[in-house]
């Protein structure tokens, strides 16, 4: 667990010299990065003070009284400190001061799980304003894992927020990758959320410093799977008898040709479709996840799907009959089997396919694709920029023609 930093020194305040050339004596206490100054209610001539020994120089009756007062006050400070250490009270300058002067008022120690719960309640209230439902769901999962882990690791229900240290993170990572079977990147995402919550605790004054600010997250490179054009055509040519399967197929293909995520296609309405003239239409909206604006010109296959579903209606009414993400993916498993595709069809695979196969695979610049996907960083888009053998063949064929 994290260690408290604590030190006591006695000093004189030379800037508060009185007319008799006497200066007040103070106890200067350093506690977890905070400084607490407490007056001893004694004064001494500045020439009589030994700053190195932190005691009076002269051995007269008055200075002997001051020396005893310093020793007594030092004992009170260490006694108060030991009482706080033995309790579940937050180790802070305020609480130490209350303990030294004998007040019962203390600031309650903020615990980890209480802080996570409070964070999630606030997060939920900002869904649709600042955050997405998907992000909230991830934090709910983090709370679930931490609620299981703390008793598993420490044999108690909760711990002080200040005790979430490097060892805690290491043990939590091991728990996630063994007991919960999380992959390395998934476990690091949980720890990333934990670091963010603890940092918010610092901002709110629950603790002085973030004890895991320097805990390093190491992600393994991920290769994004995408459908090739042949597989997209296999789905497009698939004849289905059930309306719900046809709807799911159309929405999946629409995502393949627009790059919209599940949450974005779910919210797509007529207000997001902009007519540029000459039968050229664009999607213009903000990403549900990040609120970053993006624009995508509608390709003919995507336009055809919109026209099939009316391409109109009320401003706030969704253009496509999007089911819940779970039901969409369940039906995509059926479509995957019927089409004879081995890749795992999900709503997010469609977004990958737009980035890799439809755009980058056809020579659209990375910067353009990044803007259409609503990415804030080009490095995020670069994950999709794998070069297919087909494109290599086309490029080299063009080079061969030039070299002839």
């Amino acid at each position: 667990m994290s260690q408290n930093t604590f030190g006591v020194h006695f000093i004189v305040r030379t800037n508060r010299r009185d007319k008799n050339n006497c200066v007040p004596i103070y106890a200067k206490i350093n506690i977890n990065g905070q400084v607490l100054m407490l007056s001893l209610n004694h004064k001494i001539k500045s020439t009589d003070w030994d700053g190195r020994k932190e005691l009076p120089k002269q051995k007269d009756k008055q200075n002997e009284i001051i020396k005893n007062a310093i020793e007594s006050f030092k004992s009170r400070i260490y006694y108060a400190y030991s009482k706080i250490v033995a309790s579940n009270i937050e180790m802070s300058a305020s609480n130490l001061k209350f303990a030294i002067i004998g007040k019962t008022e203390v600031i309650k120690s903020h615990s980890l799980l209480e802080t996570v719960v409070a964070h999630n309640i606030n997060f939920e209230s900002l869904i649709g304003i600042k955050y997405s439902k998907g992000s909230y769901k991830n934090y709910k999962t983090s709370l679930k894992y931490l609620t299981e882990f703390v008793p598993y690791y420490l044999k108690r229900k909760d711990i002080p927020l200040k005790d979430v240290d490097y060892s805690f993170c290491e043990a939590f990572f091991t728990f996630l990758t063994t007991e919960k079977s999380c992959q390395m990147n998934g476990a690091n995402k949980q720890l990333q959320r934990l670091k963010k919550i603890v940092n918010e605790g610092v901002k709110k004054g629950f603790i002085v410093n973030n004890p895991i600010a320097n805990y390093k997250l190491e992600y393994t490179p991920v290769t994004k799977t995408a459908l090739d054009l042949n597989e997209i055509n296999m789905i497009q040519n698939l004849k289905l008898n059930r309306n719900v399967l046809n709807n799911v197929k159309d929405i999946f293909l629409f995502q393949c040709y627009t790059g919209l995520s599940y949450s974005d296609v779910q919210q797509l309405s007529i207000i997001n479709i902009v007519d540029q003239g000459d039968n050229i239409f664009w999607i213009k909206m903000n990403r549900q996840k990040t609120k970053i604006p993006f624009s995508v010109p509608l390709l003919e296959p995507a336009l055809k799907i919109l026209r099939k579903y009316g391409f109109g209606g009320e401003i706030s009414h969704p253009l496509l009959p999007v089911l819940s993400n779970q039901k969409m993916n369940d039906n995509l498993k059926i479509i995957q089997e019927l089409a004879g595709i081995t890749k795992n069809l999900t709503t997010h695979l469609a977004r990958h396919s737009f980035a890799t196969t439809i755009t980058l695979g056809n020579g659209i610049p990375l910067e353009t694709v990044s803007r259409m996907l609503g990415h804030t960083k080009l490095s995020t888009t670069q994950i999709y920029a794998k070069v297919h053998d087909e494109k290599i063949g086309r490029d080299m064929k063009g080079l061969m023609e030039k070299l002839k």
Side-chain angles (χ1 to χ4, degrees):
M1 299 302 167
S2 59
Q3 298 296 313
N4 294 308
T5 58
F6 177 66
V8 181
H9 296 282
F10 289 88
I11 63 170
V12 293
R13 304 290 291 271
T14 55
N15 61 333
R16 297 187 180 183
R17 193 185 311 269
D18 65 16
K19 62 183 180 180
N20 297 318
N21 199 33
C22 291
V23 289
I25 303 170
Y26 276 77
K28 182 180 180 181
I29 306 167
N30 293 287
I31 177 73
N32 292 341
Q34 297 175 307
V35 176
L36 177 63
M37 300 288 286
L38 294 177
S39 173
L40 268 70
N41 295 319
H42 281 280
K43 289 185 177 182
I44 189 171
K45 286 187 177 182
S46 58
T47 53
D48 286 350
W49 181 253
D50 188 332
R52 187 177 62 84
K53 292 182 178 180
E54 300 179 10
L55 290 169
K57 292 178 183 178
Q58 305 297 326
K59 291 186 177 180
D60 57 29
K61 185 176 180 181
Q62 180 60 31
N63 286 343
E64 193 65 27
I65 292 172
I66 292 173
K67 181 181 176 182
N68 291 336
I70 290 173
E71 294 299 328
S72 175
F73 202 70
K74 186 185 292 185
S75 296
R76 283 171 60 189
I77 293 170
Y78 278 96
Y79 178 69
Y81 176 79
S82 63
K83 279 184 67 177
I84 294 177
V85 170
S87 68
N88 192 37
I89 298 170
E90 179 72 31
M91 183 59 73
S92 66
S94 297
N95 281 340
L96 184 60
K97 180 180 178 181
F98 290 144
I100 292 169
I101 63 180
K103 283 191 177 181
T104 56
E105 181 183 359
V106 294
I107 301 172
K108 181 179 177 292
S109 174
H110 289 272
S111 71
L112 170 62
L113 297 182
E114 286 176 343
T115 303
V116 178
V117 169
H119 167 275
N120 287 7
I121 291 172
N122 180 64
F123 199 101
E124 185 180 18
S125 69
L126 295 173
I127 292 175
I129 301 170
K130 189 176 179 181
Y131 306 116
S132 68
K133 287 182 179 178
S135 296
Y136 172 65
K137 182 181 176 183
N138 290 334
Y139 277 104
K140 282 182 67 178
T141 302
S142 298
L143 175 60
K144 175 178 175 291
Y145 284 153
L146 286 166
T147 303
E148 292 178 36
F149 171 69
V150 172
Y152 171 89
Y153 176 55
L154 295 168
K155 310 303 180 192
R156 48 184 166 146
K157 290 183 178 180
D158 206 350
I159 61 168
L161 190 62
K162 64 183 177 62
D163 287 344
V164 181
D165 57 9
Y166 184 91
S167 297
F168 181 93
C169 289
E170 286 287 277
F172 188 38
F173 181 86
T174 302
F175 172 80
L176 291 169
T177 52
T178 55
E179 299 297 321
K180 309 313 292 185
S181 301
C182 290
Q183 297 299 315
M184 180 176 177
N185 286 357
N188 275 312
K189 276 291 183 183
Q190 294 297 335
L191 285 158
Q192 183 182 20
R193 295 183 194 108
L194 175 62
K195 288 182 70 174
K196 179 179 178 293
I197 291 171
V198 175
N199 200 50
E200 286 193 4
V202 175
K203 293 177 181 177
K204 291 179 179 179
F206 297 168
I207 51 176
V208 177
N209 299 305
N210 186 343
I212 55 173
N214 295 323
Y215 184 83
K216 301 297 182 185
L217 304 173
E218 298 179 5
Y219 292 97
T220 55
V222 176
T223 302
K224 297 287 188 180
T225 304
L227 298 178
D228 58 34
L229 280 173
N230 181 54
E231 290 167 325
I232 292 173
N233 288 330
M234 287 168 65
I235 295 171
Q236 197 155 320
N237 296 330
L238 190 63
K239 303 299 181 184
L240 301 167
N241 296 322
R242 291 170 54 194
N243 286 338
V244 66
L245 287 177
N246 274 310
N247 291 345
V248 170
K249 183 187 86 168
D250 288 339
I251 293 163
F252 179 83
L253 290 170
F254 183 81
Q255 288 182 272
C256 286
Y257 287 110
T258 61
L260 266 64
S261 66
Y262 167 78
S263 58
D264 293 332
V265 77
Q266 186 184 42
Q267 299 297 321
L268 183 68
S269 68
I270 191 62
I271 198 172
N272 304 124
I273 308 299
V274 178
D275 186 352
Q276 301 285 79
D278 296 326
N279 206 32
I280 297 173
F281 294 89
W282 287 58
I283 293 174
K284 291 182 179 288
M285 62 190 303
N286 293 336
R287 286 213 64 199
Q288 292 295 310
K289 182 178 180 180
T290 61
K291 304 305 176 186
I292 299 297
F294 69 95
S295 303
V296 184
L298 281 166
L299 299 171
E300 185 55 37
L303 268 172
K304 186 177 179 181
I305 292 169
L306 283 185
R307 290 190 183 106
K308 176 181 176 180
Y309 289 91
F311 205 169
E314 297 179 11
I315 288 178
S316 60
H317 195 275
L319 287 176
L320 298 170
V322 182
L323 304 173
S324 70
N325 200 23
Q326 182 63 54
K327 289 183 179 179
M328 287 287 294
N329 289 331
D330 288 343
N331 283 288
L332 283 171
K333 297 292 183 293
I334 299 172
I335 293 171
Q336 174 188 330
E337 292 180 12
L338 293 174
I341 293 173
T342 57
K343 292 170 184 172
N344 185 29
L345 293 194
T346 64
T347 56
H348 211 58
L349 179 67
R351 183 169 165 84
H352 297 173
S353 302
F354 171 79
T356 304
T357 304
I358 302 299
T359 55
L360 292 171
N362 285 296
I364 303 298
L366 188 69
E367 295 84 353
T368 303
V369 177
S370 184
R371 290 291 299 275
M372 289 193 290
L373 291 173
H375 288 164
T376 55
K377 296 185 291 186
L378 197 62
S379 58
T380 307
T381 318
Q382 286 172 333
I383 298 172
Y384 299 100
K386 62 178 184 180
V387 182
H388 294 290
D389 289 344
E390 182 183 347
K391 186 175 186 301
I392 292 173
R394 288 201 308 267
D395 293 344
M396 291 303 290
K397 186 177 180 181
L399 178 59
M400 290 173 188
E401 292 296 323
K402 289 180 181 180
L403 293 176
K404 281 181 181 179

